[in-house]
Coordinates of all heavy atoms in Angstrom, one line a residue:
E907 N 4.7 -19.5 1.0 CA 5.5 -20.6 1.2 C 5.1 -21.8 0.3 O 5.9 -22.5 -0.3 CB 5.5 -21.1 2.7 CG 6.2 -20.1 3.6 CD 5.9 -20.3 5.1 OE1 5.4 -21.4 5.5 OE2 6.2 -19.4 5.9
L908 N 3.8 -22.0 0.2 CA 3.2 -23.0 -0.6 C 3.7 -22.8 -2.1 O 4.2 -23.7 -2.7 CB 1.7 -23.1 -0.6 CG 1.0 -24.0 -1.6 CD1 1.3 -25.4 -1.4 CD2 -0.5 -23.8 -1.5
M909 N 3.5 -21.6 -2.6 CA 3.9 -21.3 -4.0 C 5.4 -21.4 -4.2 O 5.9 -21.9 -5.2 CB 3.3 -20.0 -4.4 CG 1.8 -19.9 -4.4 SD 1.0 -21.3 -5.1 CE 1.5 -21.2 -6.8
E910 N 6.2 -21.0 -3.2 CA 7.6 -21.1 -3.3 C 8.1 -22.6 -3.4 O 9.0 -22.9 -4.1 CB 8.3 -20.4 -2.1 CG 8.3 -18.9 -2.2 CD 8.7 -18.2 -0.9 OE1 9.2 -18.8 0.0 OE2 8.4 -16.9 -0.9
S911 N 7.3 -23.4 -2.7 CA 7.7 -24.9 -2.7 C 7.4 -25.5 -4.1 O 7.8 -26.5 -4.4 CB 6.9 -25.6 -1.6 OG 5.5 -25.8 -2.0
K912 N 6.6 -24.7 -4.9 CA 6.3 -25.2 -6.3 C 7.2 -24.4 -7.3 O 6.8 -24.3 -8.4 CB 4.8 -25.0 -6.6 CG 3.8 -25.5 -5.6 CD 3.9 -27.0 -5.5 CE 2.9 -27.5 -4.5 NZ 3.3 -28.6 -3.7
D913 N 8.2 -23.7 -6.8 CA 9.0 -22.8 -7.6 C 8.2 -21.8 -8.3 O 8.4 -21.5 -9.5 CB 9.9 -23.6 -8.6 CG 10.9 -24.6 -7.9 OD1 11.4 -24.1 -6.9 OD2 11.1 -25.7 -8.4
S914 N 7.3 -21.2 -7.5 CA 6.5 -20.1 -8.1 C 6.2 -19.1 -7.0 O 6.9 -19.1 -6.0 CB 5.1 -20.7 -8.6 OG 4.4 -19.8 -9.4
Q915 N 5.3 -18.2 -7.3 CA 5.0 -17.1 -6.3 C 3.6 -16.5 -6.6 O 3.1 -16.8 -7.7 CB 6.0 -16.0 -6.4 CG 6.0 -15.3 -7.8 CD 6.9 -14.1 -7.8 OE1 7.2 -13.5 -6.8 NE2 7.3 -13.7 -9.0
I916 N 3.1 -15.7 -5.7 CA 1.9 -14.9 -5.9 C 2.4 -13.7 -6.6 O 3.3 -13.0 -6.1 CB 1.2 -14.6 -4.6 CG1 0.7 -15.8 -3.8 CG2 0.1 -13.6 -4.8 CD1 -0.3 -16.6 -4.6
N917 N 1.8 -13.4 -7.8 CA 2.3 -12.3 -8.6 C 1.5 -11.0 -8.2 O 2.0 -9.9 -8.4 CB 2.1 -12.6 -10.1 CG 2.8 -13.8 -10.5 OD1 2.3 -14.9 -10.5 ND2 4.1 -13.6 -10.9
A918 N 0.2 -11.2 -7.8 CA -0.6 -10.0 -7.6 C -1.8 -10.3 -6.7 O -2.3 -11.4 -6.8 CB -1.1 -9.4 -8.9
M919 N -2.2 -9.3 -5.9 CA -3.5 -9.3 -5.2 C -4.3 -8.3 -6.0 O -3.9 -7.1 -6.0 CB -3.3 -8.9 -3.8 CG -4.7 -8.9 -3.1 SD -4.8 -7.6 -1.8 CE -5.9 -8.4 -0.7
V920 N -5.3 -8.8 -6.7 CA -6.2 -7.9 -7.4 C -7.5 -7.7 -6.5 O -8.2 -8.7 -6.2 CB -6.6 -8.4 -8.8 CG1 -7.6 -7.5 -9.5 CG2 -5.3 -8.6 -9.6
A921 N -7.7 -6.5 -6.1 CA -8.9 -6.2 -5.2 C -9.9 -5.4 -6.0 O -9.6 -4.3 -6.5 CB -8.4 -5.5 -4.0
L922 N -11.1 -6.0 -6.1 CA -12.2 -5.3 -6.8 C -12.8 -4.3 -5.8 O -13.2 -4.7 -4.7 CB -13.3 -6.3 -7.2 CG -12.9 -7.2 -8.3 CD1 -14.0 -8.3 -8.5 CD2 -12.7 -6.4 -9.6
E923 N -12.7 -3.0 -6.1 CA -13.2 -2.0 -5.2 C -14.6 -1.5 -5.7 O -14.7 -1.0 -6.8 CB -12.2 -0.8 -5.2 CG -10.8 -1.3 -4.7 CD -9.7 -0.3 -4.8 OE1 -9.8 0.6 -5.6 OE2 -8.7 -0.5 -4.1
V924 N -15.5 -1.6 -4.8 CA -16.9 -1.2 -5.1 C -17.5 -0.5 -3.9 O -17.4 -1.0 -2.8 CB -17.8 -2.5 -5.4 CG1 -19.2 -2.2 -5.8 CG2 -17.1 -3.4 -6.5
P925 N -18.2 0.6 -4.2 CA -18.8 1.4 -3.0 C -19.8 0.5 -2.3 O -20.5 -0.3 -2.9 CB -19.5 2.6 -3.7 CG -18.8 2.7 -5.0 CD -18.4 1.3 -5.4
D926 N -19.9 0.7 -1.0 CA -20.8 -0.1 -0.2 C -22.2 -0.1 -0.7 O -22.9 -1.2 -0.7 CB -20.8 0.3 1.3 CG -19.5 0.0 2.0 OD1 -18.6 -0.6 1.3 OD2 -19.3 0.4 3.2
E927 N -22.7 1.0 -1.1 CA -24.1 1.1 -1.5 C -24.4 0.3 -2.8 O -25.5 -0.3 -2.9 CB -24.6 2.6 -1.7 CG -24.6 3.4 -0.5 CD -25.3 2.7 0.7 OE1 -26.5 2.3 0.5 OE2 -24.8 2.7 1.8
V928 N -23.4 0.2 -3.6 CA -23.5 -0.6 -4.8 C -23.5 -2.1 -4.5 O -24.3 -2.9 -5.0 CB -22.4 -0.3 -5.9 CG1 -22.5 -1.2 -7.1 CG2 -22.5 1.2 -6.3
L929 N -22.7 -2.4 -3.5 CA -22.6 -3.8 -3.0 C -23.9 -4.3 -2.4 O -24.5 -5.3 -2.8 CB -21.5 -4.0 -2.0 CG -20.1 -3.8 -2.4 CD1 -19.2 -3.8 -1.2 CD2 -19.7 -4.9 -3.4
V930 N -24.5 -3.4 -1.6 CA -25.8 -3.7 -0.9 C -26.9 -3.9 -2.0 O -27.6 -4.9 -2.0 CB -26.2 -2.6 0.1 CG1 -27.6 -2.8 0.6 CG2 -25.2 -2.6 1.2

């Protein structure tokens, strides 16, 4: 709604996928 009020939008959700052991 916020972005629409600025005549824009969310184009993408980019999720970084990393195995738990690497994160730890």
Side-chain angles (χ1 to χ4, degrees):
E907 290 165 16
L908 169 66
M909 296 316 294
E910 284 167 14
S911 76
K912 311 294 181 216
D913 294 324
S914 194
Q915 66 173 336
I916 295 299
N917 302 91
M919 176 212 212
V920 175
L922 292 171
E923 298 171 344
V924 182
D926 291 358
E927 293 311 309
V928 175
L929 295 170
V930 170

